[in-house]
Amino acid sequence: MTPTEERPRKLPPAVVVGLDNMTGLQTARILAGYQIPVIGIAADPDHFACRTNVCQALLYADTASPAFLDTLEQLGPHFTEKAVLFPCTDLAVLNISAHRNRLAPWYHIVLPEHNVVEMLMDKTRIAIYAQEAGFAIPATRLLGDRADAVRAAAELTFPCILKPAVKAPDWHEHTGDKVHRVEDGRALLALYDRFRRWADLLMVQEWIPGPDANLYSCNCYFSRDSEPLVAFIARKLRQWPPEAGTSCLGEEVRNDEVLHESLRLFAGVGYRGLGYVEMKRDERTGRHYLIEPNIGRPTGRSAICEAGGVPLLYTMYCDAIGLPLPENREQRYTGVKWIYLRRDLQSAFYYWRRGELSLRDWWNSIRGPKAYAIYAPHDWRPFWADISTTLRKGARSLRRKARRRVPPPGTVVPSVKP
């Protein structure tokens, strides 16, 4: 079934929780393309994604806390049929899962059992599970106190990646980066001392050598019977920030090992819902290592599935409400790409300055059929809002730097003799 076909009945709405991020915006656009009524819930009314025209209604609530559940409860009785929830942040997934009985009268909640949600969202527990199940993972140490950090600094091979074991609001409030690359033991101890107050438990993993293009992903959807109905493999070409950031350019590829291991990971826990696995191929050995899963929500690269002709999010919607599933759910490897243009320009400029990317290389990397993260001709306001916000931030930064360079009134500036 395609977005333009007639529907036998009025479709129940999809509620996108966390519209105010790239993932939420893409999710709303994809679902609206199937003539599904979309209601967005966002925390930040000034976010560029909130300029979209695809939502029939947009509500505001704190999606980083359970407060948005009250909004969902107030909204629920207005539906004639159960709506389908599409949480677009990890905290929204966790809160919806924990309070699913409270929301069940009005919403289809497409998640595995709550204990599975908690296990797959806890990097400590998923590392233990992965090791026991025979998955390759980078050498990992848990840092419960500074003594653990000291031992890790002495034992691990650097560089490494430092990150919280469980994503928490305090971490995101104090650092904009998902992870931090650590070059040596001294830097690890310094970062541990800096970040330990923002996470109950930190973890450090050895860095798997290889470029951004060695990072592969699998977006998938599992039915209530834990059957994989959709799977789509892609890889990063660039990310921002470089080496330890979020994808800004990706492409569809074939990688049967990543596909097999991703499906095995979820099938082993009786999974249901949207799933995402990232793996990295070691440049030295060719071995693929499990980096992390994301569960219960769309991801930034869900749109590449749709661009490649595989209806990932629509399959979930149909399965949730009992509509016939789309027929064309198999990846055909057409080479489609996905790009967040502004961030890819930042990333490309970084590599150009290092002498690792020419203008021709950049142009060749983005050529071909592609999906855009933010740009859309029928919904252009988020794109321009993103650009204008970035320009304003850049201008403020330049003004601050200029003020620091200008000496305060009364300062004696020594003369310079020729």
Side-chain angles (χ1 to χ4, degrees):
M1 198 173 282
T2 66
T4 57
E5 289 182 22
E6 294 290 330
R7 297 301 192 277
R9 59 184 173 89
K10 184 178 179 180
L11 294 174
V15 179
V16 176
V17 180
L19 178 75
D20 47 344
N21 61 50
M22 173 184 67
T23 302
L25 175 64
Q26 290 187 139
T27 299
R29 285 173 170 171
I30 290 169
L31 296 171
Y34 288 96
Q35 303 174 30
I36 299 168
V38 177
I39 298 171
I41 298 180
D44 180 8
D46 295 324
H47 193 276
F48 66 79
C50 294
R51 304 293 187 272
T52 183
N53 61 22
V54 303
C55 293
Q56 293 195 353
L58 181 53
L59 308 174
Y60 295 101
D62 182 4
T63 54
S65 76
F68 75 90
L69 299 171
D70 296 333
T71 301
L72 290 176
E73 279 191 312
Q74 294 163 11
L75 183 64
H78 296 281
F79 301 139
T80 56
E81 292 186 69
K82 278 188 175 185
V84 183
L85 280 180
F86 284 84
C88 291
T89 67
D90 290 323
L91 289 174
V93 170
L94 193 59
N95 282 313
I96 287 171
S97 178
H99 299 276
R100 63 181 72 195
N101 292 336
R102 178 178 163 189
L103 301 173
W106 306 290
Y107 299 97
H108 294 283
I109 299 169
V110 189
L111 293 171
E113 297 296 326
H114 185 60
N115 65 315
V116 175
V117 171
E118 288 185 312
M119 187 270 283
L120 291 175
M121 294 186 76
D122 185 325
K123 291 182 175 61
T124 304
R125 295 172 63 186
I126 188 60
I128 294 171
Y129 167 74
Q131 285 180 320
E132 292 176 347
F135 292 92
I137 67 168
T140 302
R141 297 291 187 277
L142 302 176
L143 311 182
D145 55 31
R146 201 173 195 280
D148 291 335
V150 170
R151 281 191 293 272
E155 295 171 358
L156 290 175
T157 300
F158 289 86
C160 289
I161 294 294
L162 181 72
K163 54 188 175 182
V166 179
K167 293 178 182 178
D170 282 349
W171 177 272
H172 295 289
E173 183 180 340
H174 290 92
T175 174
D177 298 322
K178 297 190 305 180
V179 301
H180 289 266
R181 178 164 163 151
V182 185
E183 298 300 332
D184 54 39
R186 181 178 297 179
L188 173 60
L189 294 177
L191 283 177
Y192 174 81
D193 291 338
R194 178 182 170 191
F195 292 145
R196 62 182 176 180
R197 73 195 74 171
W198 302 334
D200 293 334
L201 184 66
L202 292 169
M203 68 186 301
V204 60
Q205 287 185 321
E206 288 186 3
W207 173 264
I208 303 301
D212 293 346
N214 283 18
L215 284 159
Y216 293 85
S217 64
C218 175
N219 277 285
C220 54
Y221 174 73
F222 279 73
S223 71
R224 68 179 68 250
D225 299 321
S226 200
E227 176 189 357
L229 300 180
V230 175
F232 193 94
I233 306 299
R235 68 170 177 171
K236 291 181 180 180
L237 292 178
R238 280 186 293 276
Q239 55 187 333
W240 184 257
E243 297 185 331
T246 301
S247 177
C248 57
L249 178 66
E251 68 173 350
E252 173 189 19
V253 293
R254 180 163 190 159
N255 189 316
D256 292 341
E257 181 176 351
V258 171
L259 174 63
H260 177 268
E261 291 295 271
S262 299
L263 298 184
R264 184 168 78 89
L265 175 74
F266 288 124
V269 295
Y271 193 74
R272 185 198 179 195
L274 293 170
Y276 171 93
V277 174
E278 184 167 84
M279 302 185 74
K280 187 170 185 180
R281 182 173 62 83
D282 191 318
E283 190 74 359
R284 302 162 300 185
T285 66
R287 192 179 189 189
H288 290 77
Y289 287 84
L290 176 66
I291 302 301
E292 66 172 353
N294 284 304
I295 64 151
R297 63 175 179 86
T299 66
R301 280 182 287 170
S302 295
I304 197 172
C305 306
E306 304 286 337
V310 179
L312 174 72
L313 302 187
Y314 186 57
T315 297
M316 170 183 153
Y317 179 88
C318 291
D319 190 46
I321 69 171
L323 279 179
L325 298 179
E327 293 182 1
N328 300 318
R329 304 193 308 275
E330 225 175 278
Q331 186 171 5
R332 297 188 293 276
Y333 305 104
T334 59
V336 71
K337 295 177 181 178
W338 172 94
I339 186 170
Y340 188 163
L341 188 57
R342 174 177 66 80
R343 288 183 176 172
D344 190 60
L345 287 170
Q346 290 175 278
S347 181
F349 182 67
Y350 168 86
Y351 286 113
W352 174 78
R353 290 186 64 183
R354 289 165 57 103
E356 298 176 13
L357 185 73
S358 68
L359 182 61
R360 175 177 289 182
D361 293 336
W362 175 77
W363 175 248
N364 288 334
S365 71
I366 68 169
R367 290 178 61 189
K370 65 182 71 66
Y372 290 88
I374 309 299
Y375 173 74
H378 67 283
D379 186 29
W380 53 268
R381 291 179 65 193
F383 175 77
W384 290 114
D386 181 35
I387 297 296
S388 62
T389 299
T390 302
L391 291 175
R392 285 196 300 271
K393 288 180 178 178
R396 285 197 297 268
S397 176
L398 290 174
R399 286 196 296 269
R400 285 194 297 269
K401 290 179 181 178
R403 283 196 295 268
R404 286 197 293 268
R405 287 196 295 266
V406 176
T411 301
V412 177
V413 180
S415 60
V416 179
K417 294 182 180 181

